[in-house]
Amino acid sequence: MTDAEHSSLLQKVQDTESPVYCLMATIKEAKGILGKDVSGFSDPYCLLTVMVDEEQRRSTQAKSKPCKSVVKNANLDGIYQTDIKKQTLNPIWNQTFIMEFADMAGANFHLEMWDKDEEVSLSQKLEEIKTLDSLRRMIKDAKKEKGTDDFLGRISLKLQDLHCTEDCWYNLEPRTETYPDRGQCHLNLKFIHKSRDGTLSAGRSAYINYCGILQQFVQAYISKQQSSAPWKGELCGEAQVLLEQYATQNDLSPFLQDLAKWVAYSKLYQSLEVDSSVLLQQLTSIEYHWHQQELPYQQKQELGDSLHGFLQYGLCLVSKYRDIFHPTPSSTPKLHTLLRILVQICKTQAFQKLNPAQFELQEEVIDAVQSGTEDWFLVKKGLHQPMTKELSEIVSALSRLINEVQEDIKHNKDVYNRVFASAVQVDVFTVVYRKFDSLLAKEVRETMSVMEGQMEQPLAKNLFPVYLSLQKIHKDKAFLQKRGVLELTNFHEEFREALPYWLHQAFSTTQDRVERAVQVDQLQPLQSGAVPIKHSSSAVDLVSCVQPICQLWEQLSWPDPEEAFMLMVKLTEDVCKIVVNYCKILKERVRVLTENSEYGSAINMLCVVVNDLEYLRSVLTRLPSQLNWVGLKERTQHVIGERQFHNTLHSQLQQAQDILNKEIRSALHTLGKRLNTDIETHVRSMSTRKRFPSKSTEDVAAPLMRYLEKELQYMNENLVQENFNSLLTPLWNNSVTILYQVATQTQHQEGLMVYCQRLSYTLQCLEQCFHAEGNGLPLSTLHSVEYKMLKAHLTHNSLSSFQLIEKFFDKKLTDQNVFRGEKYGAVTLRVSYNRSEQKLRVEVLNAVNLLPMDSNGFSDPYVQLCLEPNHIFPEVEPRCTQIKSCDLNPLFEEVFDFMISLEQCRSPGACLVVTVLDHDTLRTDDFEGEAFLGLKNIPNVPRAKEDNEDSENFQPDAEPAQIRLSLMHPKPNEDNILKLLETRKGEREAQMFVKKRRLREKQSQENNQP
């Protein structure tokens, strides 16, 4: 606007007739006023007027004496009075008065509150006296003139200090300080006018003018804004004052003001960026005023049209929410507020009254979302339209379109669904997903029908991303609130023709990568140090190469159970083929690298190969879990039997594992072959030494142990633990075999005992070496049958002849204890030992059930007592009882004393040999049987664990023990100890003992039994 135009308009305004200004005062209520009556209450009423300062001064000067009142006694026309409220201290009036004034300067608003007094009889007053205060009020009332009202308080306000509208509580002020607290009065004050000149706005209502002014102010404010932020409903201070004054002057109700703001702001929302909260605020105000005030017909129509129009515009925005409200933290709140506005519009009484037609917001929002989704899909389809009719280009276009849809579904699931659900209770994800389901299913069918019968490897490769994208979209159905039939359910059927190409592509790609990995592999451990990695790079590469095949199974997620089983069979077969082929090319790689290398380097490479194969075996072991065979078995249990499942998949895997195990055993055999040869050389070198070597047993075994320690340490450092243990087992078994062969082949050589002692010590050292304090082979593996045989053989051959004889009698004592029955009869003894006299007393009581040895059916028995072994009792002669003729149950009752020491009784193998013989005159006496009694079992002879004679078990006067011993016959050629003693030809004592025992075996009746 130019200055000239502004001056012209200003002149017109100044030439208009000035309006009549008024103050509209509403006396609402009061609280806490004084009680002036005898009852303690008052009958309050208010007097109010507007006075200028001069009138107030004249009214005051007219009084002959100071007076509390200003209004009551003023001689003015513009004095107004409220109703009288009976007997209350909290009166409520809600009365409105309009008071004109000429000029605001010097004008004051006055309000006085009085208690109305009426003439009451004395008896009535006496009835009202209930307290001392009531009596005091009656006395005070009697002093004043009759018919005089009591002053309760006053309010005086300068009009210049008031705003256009005031609504608050004011304190009632006293004229004196007698009762300073006189309560409060609630006033609503508003400046209005009368008889305004309407020439400048002829033909237009105040409401229309208000709307025009409001729109002008808003547009001017928004155009001057520096920031790009949306307008939040604020105006400059001058504009707000002018709008308030215009509304007040034209008596525009708050309802009409809010209606004008709603109409203006809702129109601005469609053209400018307006904060949605502004509209929400106006809707809330309209709903509040709708119950308070009736709108004119024209404004009702305007409100109805505005609400319905904005509702349609909002639904249009909702249909395009993807493009307008991006899924960002700054945009989605705007969409949420818009939806709240639409909900608020539908909830308002104004909309429900002015739009009687049935309007379901949720259905309208769903229709808008569906139509918007279809429009969006068609636009994206047009953008990704293939440039040519080549099949590869068509597939690429479909792939790009599906990716767009997949991204949009993700946004609706993660972002938009929360917005729609919280604002309008609409599951927008389900609405959008079902719409895309039908659109994509149709698009995929049309595209795949074009490619029918033309499938090739490149085309199948391009289709795989399309399948994966559809798979991800189809998996999102799990988030649908309501399940139903989906058109994409069997989308995999469209790709059945491409499936074999995908499998072949995965297999061939993996095979090529594995071959390249082996070609560059130098067969060196990947890492050494505290945490070594003992396999080579190709093993790691193989695992990473096989992993995509396992991922292919997860990506396909083929829904048909029977076809999924066949697919798993193919994938497992491919993995096994790759593993077997890896073994072949790895062996060839080893051969190439070790052709011209040193022996140590070749051994190291062979160790790495074994570790690679072991690593691969562990990978194959995890294959069922990686491919989730358990889940597949559950899916196919109604189609594929458990036996078929096991025979197919597990058999494939087992065949591959068998091949790996065979290759590992072969490589370990190669590693262990040289070790076995060297061990045998060291062991046999022990037998080539002199019969009585100058070196000790430890020195003789030291070279073998140093060699083993070095080699096993090297193998442990270069082999993984599983392979190292696998190498130890055959190496241990072979070492035991070598020791056993050497020990049994040299049994007739001189110096056998010393040599067996060396071998026994060597076996002990080997056991400790291979067990390694529990870190190596377990004892159950070490203690094999062959080991036990070797241990027993070396133990016996390492003993001296005397030790062997002691072992012989220990064994006889054991046999005596376990022998049951009296097949050859029994003999009864009473034995005791006197420590002080060092005397063993044996009383032969009787014998029973003896065998008849003579032709007359009887025998002539006697008992021979002999202390064995002879080298322990060299000076003790055998003793015999008297002969009992023709008696199979003879009674002897003869006592024999043997002078032997306690140490002799406690010696290993020390025993009393009781032999029953049949006396013959002309030939050798016949053998009836023999029994063995250990001297350690005789009373007063302490056990080996008892250290001295003061022990608790020692009883010097213990009663002799009566013992019944079953007679036994030895079995011929059964005792290994005798066989061993026979080989020691140069030892006279051994040969005499063997001769004596062989004689007994010849006399034994066990020799005659089958």
Side-chain angles (χ1 to χ4, degrees):
M1 180 183 295
T2 63
D3 293 340
E5 290 174 340
H6 182 267
S7 300
S8 175
L9 289 175
L10 182 60
Q11 185 61 41
K12 290 180 180 180
V13 171
Q14 292 175 350
D15 293 342
T16 58
E17 184 179 353
S18 299
V20 177
Y21 298 106
C22 304
L23 176 65
M24 183 172 66
T26 300
I27 316 301
K28 291 187 174 183
E29 60 181 323
K31 61 182 179 181
I33 63 176
L34 296 177
K36 291 292 187 175
D37 295 341
V38 177
S39 61
F41 295 98
S42 295
D43 302 321
Y45 67 93
C46 296
L47 297 176
L48 59 154
T49 188
V50 173
M51 287 184 182
V52 295
D53 292 341
E54 185 62 29
E55 292 175 347
Q56 180 179 355
R57 192 164 42 254
R58 288 199 303 268
S59 175
T60 305
Q61 292 176 357
K63 307 292 188 298
S64 58
K65 60 178 181 178
C67 183
K68 298 179 181 179
S69 65
V70 174
V71 180
K72 187 173 184 180
N73 297 322
N75 188 15
L76 297 175
D77 295 332
I79 297 177
Y80 302 91
Q81 178 179 334
T82 66
D83 297 337
I84 300 172
K85 299 298 178 180
K86 296 291 186 178
Q87 295 298 297
T88 180
L89 299 181
N90 300 292
I92 298 176
W93 289 285
N94 284 324
Q95 290 182 262
T96 302
F97 305 93
I98 298 176
M99 296 163 283
E100 299 180 1
F101 60 91
D103 189 4
M104 186 177 291
N108 297 312
F109 168 74
H110 292 277
L111 180 143
E112 293 178 356
M113 188 178 297
W114 295 84
D115 171 42
K116 185 67 175 177
D117 281 345
E118 296 178 353
E119 293 186 8
V120 182
S121 63
L122 180 60
S123 61
Q124 184 177 354
K125 289 183 178 182
L126 291 175
E127 289 177 0
E128 292 178 355
I129 297 176
K130 297 179 179 179
T131 63
L132 184 61
D133 290 338
S134 300
L135 179 61
R136 189 181 298 112
R137 290 192 191 98
M138 189 185 75
I139 296 172
K140 185 178 180 181
D141 188 49
K143 293 181 180 180
K144 70 176 184 178
E145 299 178 5
K146 294 182 179 180
T148 304
D149 295 341
D150 292 319
F151 179 75
L152 296 177
R154 67 185 181 89
I155 298 173
S156 180
L157 302 172
K158 292 184 178 181
L159 297 188
Q160 288 182 334
D161 296 337
L162 298 178
H163 293 89
C164 184
T165 301
E166 295 280 359
D167 190 345
C168 57
W169 288 85
Y170 295 93
N171 292 325
L172 291 171
E173 301 293 339
R175 290 288 291 175
T176 64
E177 297 300 326
T178 307
Y179 298 103
D181 186 6
R182 293 175 174 264
Q184 292 178 314
C185 185
H186 187 188
L187 303 179
N188 181 277
L189 304 176
K190 181 184 294 186
F191 290 106
I192 62 175
H193 62 79
K194 294 181 179 179
S195 303
R196 185 178 179 85
D197 191 342
T199 56
L200 294 180
S201 58
R204 294 197 303 271
S205 67
Y207 170 74
I208 296 176
N209 289 334
Y210 183 86
C211 292
I213 296 171
L214 176 62
Q215 290 180 5
Q216 291 293 328
F217 284 164
V218 172
Q219 291 177 354
Y221 184 84
I222 294 177
S223 63
K224 293 180 180 180
Q225 270 190 315
Q226 301 294 328
S227 64
S228 58
W231 182 63
K232 296 184 177 180
E234 65 270 11
L235 293 173
C236 62
E238 295 83 352
Q240 290 179 349
V241 171
L242 289 174
L243 286 172
E244 290 178 5
Q245 289 182 350
Y246 186 84
T248 302
Q249 292 169 0
N250 291 277
D251 198 18
L252 288 178
S253 66
F255 195 178
L256 288 175
Q257 296 177 46
D258 289 329
L259 173 60
K261 292 179 181 179
W262 161 255
V263 173
Y265 296 167
S266 62
K267 289 180 180 178
L268 286 172
Y269 185 86
Q270 303 178 29
S271 58
L272 298 174
E273 191 171 2
V274 177
D275 194 293
S276 303
S277 60
V278 177
L279 300 181
L280 271 178
Q281 182 180 356
Q282 298 308 317
L283 279 175
T284 304
S285 299
I286 290 174
E287 179 70 7
Y288 171 76
H289 293 304
W290 181 264
H291 301 283
Q292 308 293 329
Q293 181 180 349
E294 183 73 17
L295 277 178
Y297 175 78
Q298 185 176 357
Q299 276 70 45
K300 280 186 178 181
Q301 290 299 112
E302 183 180 13
L303 177 59
D305 294 342
S306 175
L307 293 176
H308 188 270
F310 188 85
L311 198 60
Q312 296 303 320
Y313 175 74
L315 291 173
C316 181
L317 294 182
V318 169
S319 67
K320 301 175 182 178
Y321 69 93
R322 296 174 176 85
D323 303 319
I324 300 175
F325 306 101
H326 300 293
T328 60
S330 60
S331 296
T332 50
K334 299 177 183 178
L335 172 61
H336 186 267
T337 309
L338 172 63
L339 294 173
R340 284 181 58 203
I341 293 173
L342 301 183
V343 172
Q344 191 66 26
I345 289 176
C346 295
K347 286 183 176 180
T348 57
Q349 293 291 327
F351 179 79
Q352 295 175 5
K353 295 291 185 182
L354 300 176
N355 293 273
Q358 190 70 22
F359 190 92
E360 293 292 339
L361 180 61
Q362 289 185 346
E363 295 179 1
E364 295 293 333
V365 171
I366 291 174
D367 292 341
V369 170
Q370 288 178 337
S371 62
T373 299
E374 186 171 0
D375 294 341
W376 180 89
F377 182 83
L378 295 176
V379 171
K380 294 297 181 181
K381 180 180 176 182
L383 291 175
H384 297 296
Q385 196 71 20
M387 303 301 294
T388 63
K389 293 185 178 181
E390 293 183 4
L391 295 180
S392 61
E393 184 63 28
I394 294 175
V395 173
S396 298
L398 178 62
S399 179
R400 292 192 296 271
L401 176 61
I402 293 176
N403 289 337
E404 292 266 16
V405 172
Q406 183 182 351
E407 187 69 17
D408 186 75
I409 289 177
K410 182 178 184 298
H411 288 155
N412 278 280
K413 176 169 65 73
D414 298 339
V415 181
Y416 292 122
N417 198 53
R418 290 197 299 269
V419 176
F420 279 87
S422 62
V424 290
Q425 288 75 51
V426 171
D427 182 14
V428 73
F429 168 73
T430 300
V431 175
V432 171
Y433 186 89
R434 290 189 174 278
K435 191 65 180 177
F436 279 141
D437 177 69
S438 60
L439 294 172
L440 279 180
K442 180 181 177 182
E443 192 69 23
V444 170
R445 284 194 296 268
E446 292 177 354
T447 304
M448 297 304 294
S449 63
V450 177
M451 304 176 190
E452 189 173 357
Q454 306 182 55
M455 191 62 62
E456 294 179 353
Q457 186 66 49
L459 183 59
K461 183 179 180 181
N462 292 336
L463 279 174
F464 189 64
V466 176
Y467 178 87
L468 293 183
S469 298
L470 289 174
Q471 183 74 273
K472 291 179 181 179
I473 292 175
H474 189 61
K475 286 182 178 179
D476 283 337
K477 69 180 181 180
F479 299 98
L480 294 176
Q481 294 294 332
K482 296 181 180 179
R483 301 292 179 87
V485 179
L486 298 174
E487 297 186 35
L488 278 177
T489 299
N490 297 320
F491 76 95
H492 67 281
E493 296 178 356
E494 305 291 341
F495 298 87
R496 187 177 283 114
E497 190 177 353
L499 184 58
Y501 293 93
W502 296 343
L503 298 177
H504 180 266
Q505 176 70 25
F507 174 76
S508 58
T509 302
T510 304
Q511 188 77 295
D512 293 341
R513 290 178 61 187
V514 169
E515 290 179 359
R516 289 196 299 270
V518 175
Q519 289 173 2
V520 299
D521 193 356
Q522 297 301 317
L523 299 181
Q524 297 296 324
L526 282 178
Q527 180 179 333
S528 59
V531 185
I533 299 177
K534 298 180 181 180
H535 46 262
S536 65
S537 60
S538 63
V540 179
D541 292 338
L542 174 62
V543 175
S544 61
C545 292
V546 172
Q547 192 63 29
I549 295 182
C550 300
Q551 291 176 352
L552 178 63
W553 167 254
E554 297 179 2
Q555 291 171 337
L556 291 176
S557 298
W558 204 259
D560 184 83
E562 189 171 1
E563 293 179 355
F565 175 73
M566 299 307 298
L567 179 61
M568 178 64 76
V569 171
K570 176 61 177 172
L571 290 174
T572 305
E573 180 184 354
D574 289 345
V575 172
C576 293
K577 284 182 179 179
I578 292 171
V579 169
V580 172
N581 186 59
Y582 173 78
C583 294
K584 294 180 181 179
I585 58 179
L586 189 63
K587 288 171 64 177
E588 180 61 23
R589 180 64 177 169
V590 142
R591 187 188 63 79
V592 172
L593 292 179
T594 57
E595 279 184 350
N596 300 319
S597 61
E598 298 179 355
Y599 177 78
S601 178
I603 291 296
N604 185 56
M605 290 184 186
L606 191 57
C607 290
V608 173
V609 170
V610 175
N611 294 335
D612 289 345
L613 297 179
E614 180 62 36
Y615 182 69
L616 193 55
R617 183 170 63 175
S618 66
V619 172
L620 277 184
T621 304
R622 297 193 300 268
L623 187 64
S625 62
Q626 287 181 326
L627 293 178
N628 192 18
W629 284 9
V630 176
L632 178 63
K633 185 177 180 180
E634 293 177 356
R635 286 177 53 197
T636 59
Q637 60 183 350
H638 301 297
V639 182
I640 307 296
E642 183 176 356
R643 183 174 181 181
Q644 181 182 357
F645 189 93
H646 184 274
N647 291 342
T648 306
L649 290 178
H650 289 277
S651 297
Q652 285 181 331
L653 189 61
Q654 188 60 46
Q655 289 176 4
Q657 288 178 332
D658 290 343
I659 293 175
L660 277 178
N661 292 335
K662 180 180 177 181
E663 296 296 337
I664 291 173
R665 287 195 300 269
S666 176
L668 290 176
H669 178 72
T670 303
L671 287 173
K673 187 184 299 183
R674 181 178 64 87
L675 293 176
N676 290 329
T677 303
D678 293 344
I679 290 174
E680 184 174 2
T681 302
H682 280 85
V683 171
R684 292 191 180 277
S685 67
M686 297 180 186
S687 63
T688 61
R689 299 181 181 274
K690 296 179 180 180
R691 182 179 302 178
F692 303 104
S694 58
K695 290 188 177 181
S696 63
T697 301
E698 292 81 359
D699 294 337
V700 173
L704 173 61
M705 301 314 300
R706 285 196 298 268
Y707 169 79
L708 271 180
E709 182 179 359
K710 176 183 176 182
E711 293 298 326
L712 292 181
Q713 181 180 359
Y714 175 82
M715 293 299 176
N716 189 33
E717 291 176 353
N718 289 276
L719 290 175
V720 296
Q721 191 63 40
E722 293 82 358
N723 290 334
F724 180 68
N725 292 339
S726 299
L727 176 66
L728 286 180
T729 302
L731 193 61
W732 164 257
N733 292 333
N734 188 70
S735 300
V736 172
T737 301
I738 293 172
L739 287 173
Y740 190 79
Q741 290 174 354
V742 172
T744 54
Q745 289 173 0
T746 58
Q747 61 182 354
H748 298 293
Q749 297 177 2
E750 295 182 2
L752 177 62
M753 181 179 68
V754 176
Y755 182 59
C756 287
Q757 289 175 352
R758 293 177 179 176
L759 294 182
S760 180
Y761 177 76
T762 302
L763 180 62
Q764 181 182 355
C765 293
L766 288 175
E767 181 180 353
Q768 294 176 355
C769 177
F770 280 87
H771 184 55
E773 297 181 351
N775 297 318
L777 295 179
L779 293 177
S780 58
T781 302
L782 293 172
H783 295 170
S784 61
V785 175
E786 191 173 11
Y787 165 84
K788 292 178 181 178
M789 293 174 57
L790 174 62
K791 181 78 172 177
H793 178 80
L794 294 179
T795 300
H796 287 162
N797 284 275
S798 300
L799 298 177
S800 65
S801 297
F802 289 162
Q803 290 174 325
L804 288 175
I805 293 173
E806 293 169 1
K807 288 286 184 183
F808 174 85
F809 284 110
D810 280 337
K811 184 175 180 301
K812 287 297 182 180
L813 290 173
T814 302
D815 294 341
Q816 183 71 54
N817 291 332
V818 300
F819 187 79
R820 294 294 179 265
E822 296 180 354
K823 178 179 179 182
Y824 303 106
V827 62
T828 303
L829 307 176
R830 183 182 288 116
V831 295
S832 63
Y833 180 77
N834 190 310
R835 289 191 179 187
S836 60
E837 297 179 3
Q838 293 191 345
K839 179 173 64 177
L840 172 65
R841 170 163 291 186
V842 179
E843 182 179 357
V844 181
L845 298 178
N846 63 2
V848 295
N849 301 325
L850 299 178
L851 297 176
M853 305 302 290
D854 297 336
S855 57
N856 59 4
F858 292 97
S859 294
D860 302 323
Y862 69 94
V863 177
Q864 182 184 71
L865 303 177
C866 181
L867 292 175
E868 296 285 357
N870 186 61
H871 63 270
I872 296 177
F873 306 100
E875 298 179 357
V876 179
E877 295 293 332
R879 311 288 288 275
C880 296
T881 66
Q882 295 179 2
I883 300 170
K884 301 296 182 179
S885 299
C886 299
D887 195 351
L888 299 180
N889 298 286
L891 181 65
F892 298 104
E893 293 186 346
E894 296 184 38
V895 179
F896 302 93
D897 292 331
F898 298 92
M899 305 305 295
I900 57 177
S901 66
L902 184 62
E903 286 74 16
Q904 288 176 304
C905 294
R906 296 176 56 182
S907 298
C911 64
L912 175 66
V913 181
V914 182
T915 308
V916 180
L917 300 169
D918 170 46
H919 177 72
D920 288 329
T921 305
L922 299 178
R923 54 190 177 88
T924 306
D925 294 344
D926 295 324
F927 178 67
E928 286 276 359
E930 63 182 355
F932 300 86
L933 176 63
L935 300 186
K936 295 179 183 178
N937 296 326
I938 296 175
N940 293 338
V941 177
R943 306 283 183 181
K945 65 180 180 180
E946 296 173 353
D947 299 325
N948 50 57
E949 296 183 358
D950 296 331
S951 64
E952 295 180 0
N953 295 332
F954 174 61
Q955 299 178 5
D957 298 327
E959 291 294 327
Q962 183 170 316
I963 303 172
R964 185 183 179 110
L965 299 174
S966 299
L967 297 178
M968 302 185 299
H969 282 221
K971 294 182 179 180
N973 299 318
E974 189 182 62
D975 200 297
N976 293 326
I977 296 178
L978 292 180
K979 295 178 182 179
L980 183 57
L981 288 172
E982 282 180 329
T983 63
R984 302 184 178 183
K985 303 296 185 180
E987 299 186 22
R988 179 172 174 273
E989 294 84 356
Q991 297 305 313
M992 289 178 62
F993 178 77
V994 172
K995 181 178 179 181
K996 179 179 178 181
R997 293 309 306 174
R998 292 303 185 196
L999 177 61
R1000 282 284 181 262
E1001 290 179 359
K1002 289 180 181 180
Q1003 297 173 337
S1004 172
Q1005 292 194 14
E1006 293 288 333
N1007 193 26
N1008 300 326
Q1009 295 182 2

